Amino acid sequence: MRKIFIIFIFAVFAVPLWAKGEEILILGRSSSTTETVPIYDSATARIFGRSFVLIGKSSAVRKNQFLTKSSTYVMQMFVQNIAAYDAIRVCTDSTPNADNALNAFDSQNVVAIRLDFVSYLNEGPQREFSDAFRANGIDTKDPAIAQFLSLVGENSVVPGDSLTIVIERNVGGNDVLLLENTKGMVGKIVGSLLARLITSLWIGRPSIDRQPDFARKLLCGM
């Protein structure tokens, strides 16, 4: 019995978080660049054999929080239903509204976020994400959030690396999140309200207060 028990435990913890999979976001036409990163007008999300056409809504450059304020990555947002998103007023007099911004994402069945890194990060984005979750009152020990942070990892990133996130909302009562890294490895997370929790990293109220210029560009286009 003891031997069987040990083998069972090993099998559970030996399951990899990442697996080689199909590309989850096929990028469309690029009409401009930011920090040498192409900005795309559209993309096609692929979720377990199904395809969803998305529109490139906005992009912004994320800065680090140190004295240098150097660029860290370019973030691009893609949404499925542009009319439903635009119907919710995410900005008032060029000021982002966090509650409305999160509600705008809630109006979408499928959303995608792409991060293109333009500088070196020794710890990767995990530390930034953990700090942002805590600032927004999100428990980093929540199973889905902990898995997300594990997938993001602590490995360093270099210019040219990318992280792609595709979320399908309300699938059997849960959101399904797929992540893809530069190597084409894909991770999957299933959890409640994942779309709102993950997007709060950048557009939750504390996140907006921390980097208002980033949020203004991402949400208000200014």
Side-chain angles (χ1 to χ4, degrees):
M1 289 294 293
R2 184 178 179 183
K3 183 177 180 181
I4 294 174
F5 177 75
I6 292 173
I7 292 173
F8 173 76
I9 291 295
F10 177 80
V12 170
F13 286 95
V15 175
L17 291 174
W18 292 99
K20 191 69 177 178
E22 69 172 7
E23 191 173 3
I24 64 174
L25 191 69
I26 308 300
L27 299 168
R29 183 176 68 91
S30 169
S31 59
S32 62
T33 60
T34 298
E35 298 271 352
T36 72
V37 173
I39 303 301
Y40 297 94
D41 298 330
S42 63
T44 300
R46 298 199 300 190
I47 305 174
F48 306 126
R50 294 170 296 137
S51 297
F52 303 88
V53 176
L54 306 180
I55 304 299
K57 178 57 184 173
S58 60
S59 63
V61 178
R62 189 74 168 181
K63 306 284 187 178
N64 67 38
Q65 294 294 293
F66 304 110
L67 291 176
T68 58
K69 299 294 183 184
S70 58
S71 300
T72 302
Y73 55 79
V74 177
M75 174 176 168
Q76 299 181 63
M77 292 193 318
F78 300 87
V79 299
Q80 186 180 24
N81 187 333
I82 198 76
Y85 183 95
D86 288 342
I88 300 174
R89 194 172 184 180
V90 299
C91 291
T92 303
D93 297 328
S94 302
T95 301
N97 182 309
D99 293 334
N100 284 0
L102 290 171
N103 289 337
F105 271 92
D106 283 344
S107 73
Q108 305 296 305
N109 290 326
V110 177
V111 297
I113 294 167
R114 180 177 170 88
L115 308 182
D116 287 280
F117 294 93
V118 295
S119 65
Y120 293 90
L121 288 177
N122 289 333
E123 298 178 352
Q126 189 189 72
R127 182 176 179 181
E128 175 196 330
F129 291 171
S130 296
D131 290 345
F133 278 135
R134 284 191 286 267
N136 283 277
I138 297 170
D139 185 4
T140 56
K141 294 182 180 180
D142 174 89
I145 298 302
Q147 188 180 1
F148 174 80
L149 292 172
S150 294
L151 282 167
V152 170
E154 298 177 346
N155 296 329
S156 61
V157 297
V158 301
D161 282 352
S162 63
L163 181 67
T164 302
I165 302 169
V166 172
I167 307 173
E168 183 177 10
R169 294 184 60 254
N170 197 24
V171 181
N174 285 311
D175 293 352
V176 174
L177 182 149
L178 299 177
L179 293 90
E180 182 179 354
N181 62 17
T182 309
K183 298 178 181 179
M185 303 298 285
V186 176
K188 172 188 173 184
I189 305 172
V190 177
S192 177
L193 301 175
L194 269 180
R196 177 171 281 256
L197 295 176
I198 299 302
T199 53
S200 70
L201 287 170
W202 301 281
I203 60 175
R205 190 181 304 280
S207 300
I208 289 175
D209 291 342
R210 284 182 168 193
Q211 293 212 18
D213 291 341
F214 171 83
R216 191 176 299 112
K217 174 64 175 175
L218 190 69
L219 296 173
C220 309
M222 317 181 108

